[in-house]
Amino acid sequence: RYYQQAAIQGSVTALLRVADGYRSEDAAKAFSFYSAAAEQGSQEGRLRLSELMIRGEGTKRNELAGMAELEALATSDNPAVLEALAELCLSGRIRLQPTLALTALDRATRLGSVSSHRRLGDLYSAGEDVKADYALALDHYRQAAGQGNADAEIRLAEMQARGQGMQQDVAAAEASLKALAGKGSTGALLALGDLYGQAEAMPFDPALAMKYYSAAAAQGSITALLRLAQGYADGRFGRRDLKEAERHYQLAFETGNP
């Protein structure tokens, strides 16, 4: 109700949030509110309009016009808009557009976005939506890590453990992850669990895997809870315990749906 009132008074933020609310139940109304936001200069509004045009939701489908608008938005000076554009291009909600996603993220990094460096590192290291390039992945992770991004530091350690784009050094990677975990990083605890529990870079150690997964789970990691649940379900940690598996699956569900 408050967003509706603010939208009537012309608040761009309210127009966007009201449009978001209508998105699943009345796409035409969503399109109308996004249009009103776009008319007031909102690039987020333009981004959402482009998606609706491409998908033909709330308006006649016009992929050509929608894509032209996305390409125009790729020249934005707003890193948040560029990151949202990139995620849309890779989301599957529209036809996959990896080149446009890379263009947007690269521009965001030149505008100072640390998270875009980390995202580019993820894309180049995974090699799923774009061609794998470990050298580029390392470069982006290092730039993000140099500006304090802990996730990038974790990714660098994981690549070092696997010898991806650099000489393999499991001991150094392990030390880096333990240092980050000591500072309270949930992601580092999860990475240590994977290091010991997935037997990719070092021998399988179920006790240490459980230790670090449990520590990450205690800090709210849904992924760690799922790792523990699967481990109990298939017995990889030494004993098969379906009750514990069910309990951890339930915890993961409750953590993700408070």
Side-chain angles (χ1 to χ4, degrees):
R1 185 180 68 184
Y2 296 113
Y3 276 136
Q4 288 275 10
Q5 292 173 349
I8 291 171
Q9 295 171 6
S11 165
V12 172
T13 299
L15 287 167
L16 293 169
R17 298 298 78 81
V18 170
D20 291 342
Y22 278 123
R23 181 74 184 268
S24 61
E25 60 184 58
D26 192 331
K29 282 187 177 180
F31 188 88
S32 175
F33 280 102
Y34 285 136
S35 295
E39 287 170 4
Q40 293 194 47
S42 168
Q43 292 186 343
E44 182 181 347
R46 289 170 58 192
L47 180 64
R48 299 304 166 216
L49 281 178
S50 301
E51 180 182 354
L52 292 178
M53 283 191 288
I54 293 169
R55 293 171 60 86
E57 294 180 1
T59 187
K60 183 177 179 181
R61 188 170 185 269
N62 190 335
E63 186 174 3
L64 189 62
M67 285 305 306
E69 182 68 354
L70 290 184
E71 289 170 2
L73 284 169
T75 65
S76 170
D77 289 328
N78 185 332
V81 169
L82 292 167
E83 290 174 353
L85 167 59
E87 291 312 307
L88 173 61
C89 289
L90 300 172
S91 67
R93 299 196 304 274
I94 65 172
R95 192 186 316 176
L96 190 66
Q97 301 289 336
T99 301
L100 186 56
L102 293 177
T103 297
L105 289 171
D106 182 66
R107 181 169 176 79
T109 63
R110 287 184 275 112
L111 291 168
S113 171
V114 177
S115 58
S116 290
H117 274 302
R118 195 269 306 158
R119 183 69 176 108
L120 283 166
D122 289 346
L123 289 170
Y124 285 121
S125 64
E128 294 174 357
D129 295 322
V130 304
K131 184 178 179 181
D133 188 322
Y134 291 151
L136 279 175
L138 288 170
D139 179 56
H140 284 293
Y141 282 146
R142 284 169 178 151
Q143 293 196 57
Q147 297 180 67
N149 187 285
D151 287 337
E153 292 184 68
I154 292 167
R155 302 292 193 279
L156 283 171
E158 290 174 328
M159 292 185 73
Q160 185 176 37
R162 299 187 185 104
Q164 295 173 324
M166 66 174 85
Q167 184 174 347
Q168 185 178 30
D169 191 334
V170 178
E174 182 183 26
S176 296
L177 291 173
K178 286 183 176 179
L180 289 167
K183 296 177 183 177
S185 169
T186 303
L189 290 169
L190 177 62
L192 283 165
D194 287 342
L195 188 65
Y196 298 119
Q198 295 186 355
E200 291 181 356
M202 61 190 308
F204 178 58
D205 189 322
L208 284 176
M210 283 194 69
K211 172 186 173 180
Y212 286 108
Y213 284 146
S214 296
Q219 292 184 194
S221 170
I222 296 174
T223 302
L225 285 167
L226 292 172
R227 296 272 204 278
L228 288 167
Q230 186 60 47
Y232 281 118
D234 61 21
R236 76 178 65 179
F237 297 139
R239 61 188 176 92
R240 194 164 183 255
D241 190 329
L242 296 182
K243 286 186 177 181
E244 278 297 298
E246 182 180 0
R247 185 174 76 84
H248 282 83
Y249 278 129
Q250 182 63 33
L251 284 170
F253 174 79
E254 291 172 357
T255 301
N257 298 272

